[in-house]
Amino acid sequence: MRKTFTTSAIAVVFFTLLLGIAYPLVVTGVSQVLFPGNSNGSQLKSGGKVVGSKLLAQDFKREPKYFQARPSATGWSASATFFGNQGPNQKSTRDFYRVQLKRYLALEGPYNPGLTAAAVPVDAVTDSASGVDPDISVANARIQSARVAAVRHMPLADVRALVGRYTDNRSLGLFGEPGVNVTELNLALDR
């Protein structure tokens, strides 16, 4: 009995040191050397100060001079990401989408004459699974470009060129759709 207890205690200590300390240190060290930007959270800096991550959307307070991210049930809080898990037939889902559509049309309509609910991209009124997805569709960015250009007194062509610069292609060239990183795009507009 004592031999079994001693062997078990040694195994627990050994595997705790190996898998609880050594392995995480090795993985962290390798990632810091090979992928320093990614392993530190893909931080975005402005003026030497960390202002966000290119992996997370931020709340731009519906300021017209900024591109707006997708709606978020979490208020774009990275510490509380979740999917609302609402079903397509729930009244609360329908009400949420109606409110988001109304807000989008109110914000974008004055800068896009003739914009109708049917022309609004789906991502403009639906939240992402995490609630902090920084990407919007190219169609959504094109609509928002008119507002941003007008409010910032910039040529529309310059704003659309920035949109093109911050558009990511499909993953591995096959999966998903191209998306525009709103966080990076807004930081570029402020430069």
Side-chain angles (χ1 to χ4, degrees):
M1 177 82 156
R2 186 173 195 182
K3 183 177 180 183
T4 302
F5 178 75
T6 304
T7 304
S8 298
I10 290 171
V12 167
V13 170
F14 172 76
F15 283 110
T16 298
L17 292 172
L18 178 69
L19 301 175
I21 297 173
Y23 177 74
L25 286 173
V26 168
V27 170
T28 301
V30 168
S31 67
Q32 286 290 329
V33 170
L34 297 179
F35 312 104
N38 293 345
S39 64
N40 289 321
S42 301
Q43 298 174 345
L44 295 172
K45 296 180 180 183
S46 180
K49 179 182 173 192
V50 175
V51 293
S53 168
K54 60 182 170 175
L55 302 175
L56 302 172
Q58 294 181 8
D59 183 9
F60 288 96
K61 310 284 186 213
R62 299 242 180 240
E63 286 189 48
K65 69 179 186 173
Y66 291 113
F67 282 86
Q68 302 299 311
R70 295 178 70 166
S72 174
T74 66
W76 299 278
S77 171
S79 62
T81 63
F82 67 88
F83 179 67
N85 207 23
Q86 296 174 326
N89 297 327
Q90 284 182 268
K91 182 182 180 313
S92 60
T93 303
R94 185 179 61 242
D95 293 344
F96 175 79
Y97 294 152
R98 283 184 179 158
V99 167
Q100 298 307 317
L101 180 60
K102 186 177 177 180
R103 284 182 182 166
Y104 191 84
L105 287 171
L107 184 63
E108 304 304 335
Y111 304 97
N112 293 277
L115 181 65
T116 64
V120 173
V122 172
D123 67 298
V125 296
T126 59
D127 53 348
S128 66
S130 66
V132 294
D133 184 2
D135 294 323
I136 61 173
S137 67
V138 174
N140 189 351
R142 288 187 65 81
I143 291 170
Q144 291 189 46
S145 293
R147 170 182 42 82
V148 172
V151 171
R152 288 181 176 260
H153 307 291
M154 292 176 64
L156 181 58
D158 291 353
V159 174
R160 289 209 168 141
L162 273 174
V163 167
R165 188 177 314 149
Y166 291 96
T167 299
D168 301 324
N169 291 319
R170 298 170 180 248
S171 298
L172 302 175
L174 300 169
F175 305 109
E177 294 295 323
V180 180
N181 189 304
V182 174
T183 306
E184 289 183 297
L185 178 57
N186 285 334
L187 289 172
L189 282 166
D190 282 344
R191 282 187 225 123

